[in-house]
């Protein structure tokens, strides 16, 4: 089930957080909580679209192997390009990368 995986991930993330002796300002802590809440909501909504995209492909008469290939192509492109595009955009500017 996904529940144990969520708890294990949360535990490992908590253990891996950097230790600091500095006092974190309350406003920044509130910003972190708000950011993570919105981020989690966006990630969950992205996960929820998968079954609907699958249903859309099947309505257009794609076979199961074709749908699997489309999903794998999308995940593969994210894997390949996501690894270096962020650093490339930081180096050359986001506007220039968006224009490319």
């Amino acid at each position: 089930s996904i529940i144990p995986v969520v708890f294990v991930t949360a535990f490992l993330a908590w253990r891996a957080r950097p230790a600091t002796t500095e006092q974190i300002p309350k406003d920044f802590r509130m910003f972190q909580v708000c950011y993570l809440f919105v981020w989690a909501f966006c990630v969950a909504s992205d996960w929820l679209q998968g079954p609907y995209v699958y249903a859309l492909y099947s309505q257009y008469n794609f076979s199961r192997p074709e749908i699997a290939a489309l999903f794998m192509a999308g995940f593969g492109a994210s894997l390949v390009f996501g690894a270096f595009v962020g650093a490339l955009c930081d180096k050359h500017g986001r506007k220039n990368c968006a224009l490319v």
Side-chain angles (χ1 to χ4, degrees), residues 4-49:
V5 173
V6 168
F7 284 121
V8 169
T9 303
F11 174 74
L12 292 175
W14 182 261
R15 295 270 310 181
R17 68 180 165 52
T20 181
T21 57
E22 297 178 26
Q23 186 69 6
I24 297 174
K26 184 177 179 181
D27 290 341
F28 183 70
R29 178 64 72 186
M30 292 299 294
F31 168 76
Q32 284 181 317
V33 169
C34 182
Y35 179 86
L36 288 174
F37 177 75
V38 171
W39 175 82
F41 183 76
C42 292
V43 168
S45 66
D46 186 44
W47 288 341
L48 289 175
Q49 80 176 355

Side-chain angles (χ1 to χ4, degrees), residues 89 92-100:
C89 290
H92 297 289
R94 298 190 189 285
K95 182 178 180 181
N96 291 334
C97 287
L99 292 174
V100 172

